[in-house]
Amino acid sequence: MKLKTLEMTLQKLSGFEKPRAALEQYQTPAPLAARLLYDALMQGDISGKVVCDLGSGTGVLAIGASLLGASVVKAVEIDAGAVAVAEKNAALVGAEVSFIIADVREADIADRVGPCDTGVMNPPFGAQKAHADRPFIDCALAVAPVTYGIFNAGSIPFVTAYTEGRARIAAITGGSFPIRRTFAFHTRDVQEIEVEILRLERIPK
Ligand code: SAH
């Protein structure tokens, strides 16, 4: 599947019905999601691989990974309502995803997810709750040797320090994330958030 086709397919997916601010529920825009997945595909990390999406929301990344030929896609999401939307989205475009309704902070989360080849995620940036992205990074490193994540621009120093001795970080690409007015505290109709896609490569113990 071509990048443009992937992007157009992901564009068809429904978003959060009632987005919850505390969970930082923002759907990754199709162009950014397609970009992350295509970069991962080109690195040999999607096709024929076991992929997990942490905080899968309405399923954009998980569904895209399936469409690009992942052999198994597991998607972990705390909000059952979002999973219901994601299941409909997967059916709409013929993607196969196994959803796991769980909190990435659960002690046995790595066992529940099982070993994967590749992680993908757009974790909460910690705008509502500081450090909300840490358990996502921990979970990703526990289950997969390589993870592609979307972070706020300027996160490299934090992610590098937080994963010191556990992962090497490579910046894949920057981008921007248009956030439409979703919550009462949003003051503009659309706000562009600068983000970067990072590749976290686990350092073997
Ligand atoms: N991956 C989706 C959603 C990103 S928004 C996309 O790219 O469009 C972040 C998601 O993480 C939300 O769906 C939110 O419900 C979920 N989330 C937040 N905290 C979580 C936690 N502790 N465990 C699992 N999922 C969580």
Side-chain angles (χ1 to χ4, degrees):
M1 183 181 277
K2 288 193 177 139
L3 175 61
K4 203 68 205 164
T5 314
L6 176 67
E7 195 181 310
M8 278 161 49
T9 308
L10 296 180
Q11 207 87 58
K12 292 184 199 152
L13 306 180
S14 301
F16 291 99
E17 275 166 4
K18 284 179 244 146
R20 290 159 66 182
L23 294 175
E24 293 194 41
Q25 293 185 324
Y26 299 104
Q27 185 175 36
T28 305
L32 185 64
R35 187 65 184 282
L36 179 152
L37 293 164
Y38 228 75
D39 284 332
L41 177 73
M42 292 299 142
Q43 306 259 356
D45 291 327
I46 300 288
S47 184
K49 303 289 181 180
V50 178
V51 177
C52 63
D53 177 1
L54 305 178
S56 52
T58 50
V60 188
L61 296 174
I63 289 167
S66 168
L67 296 177
L68 290 179
S71 59
V72 174
V73 182
K74 305 176 196 190
V76 180
E77 169 57 48
I78 197 170
D79 178 11
V83 170
V85 175
E87 280 174 332
K88 280 192 208 146
N89 279 337
L92 177 75
V93 298
E96 267 188 57
V97 177
S98 344
F99 291 95
I100 303 169
I101 299 176
D103 185 329
V104 294
R105 293 167 295 187
E106 284 168 25
D108 65 345
I109 191 70
D111 293 333
R112 283 189 68 183
V113 177
C116 302
D117 298 306
T118 308
V120 294
M121 60 182 187
N122 175 12
F125 293 163
Q128 294 299 309
K129 225 173 107 217
H131 311 311
D133 46 1
R134 290 185 183 183
F136 283 81
I137 295 172
D138 293 340
C139 180
L141 292 178
V143 297
V146 172
T147 296
Y148 295 81
I150 300 173
F151 295 89
N152 256 329
S155 294
I156 293 178
F158 155 69
V159 180
T160 305
Y162 185 63
T163 60
E164 205 197 326
R166 297 193 289 155
R168 269 184 286 272
I169 313 300
I172 293 290
T173 180
S176 74
F177 190 143
I179 291 191
R180 276 172 233 295
R181 187 191 286 268
T182 313
F183 301 119
F185 57 81
H186 288 165
T187 52
R188 299 192 200 161
D189 286 343
V190 180
Q191 169 126 34
E192 293 280 334
I193 306 279
E194 294 300 315
V195 296
E196 54 205 5
I197 299 172
L198 303 184
R199 183 176 195 267
L200 282 61
E201 202 184 312
R202 187 165 70 192
I203 297 171
K205 281 186 190 137

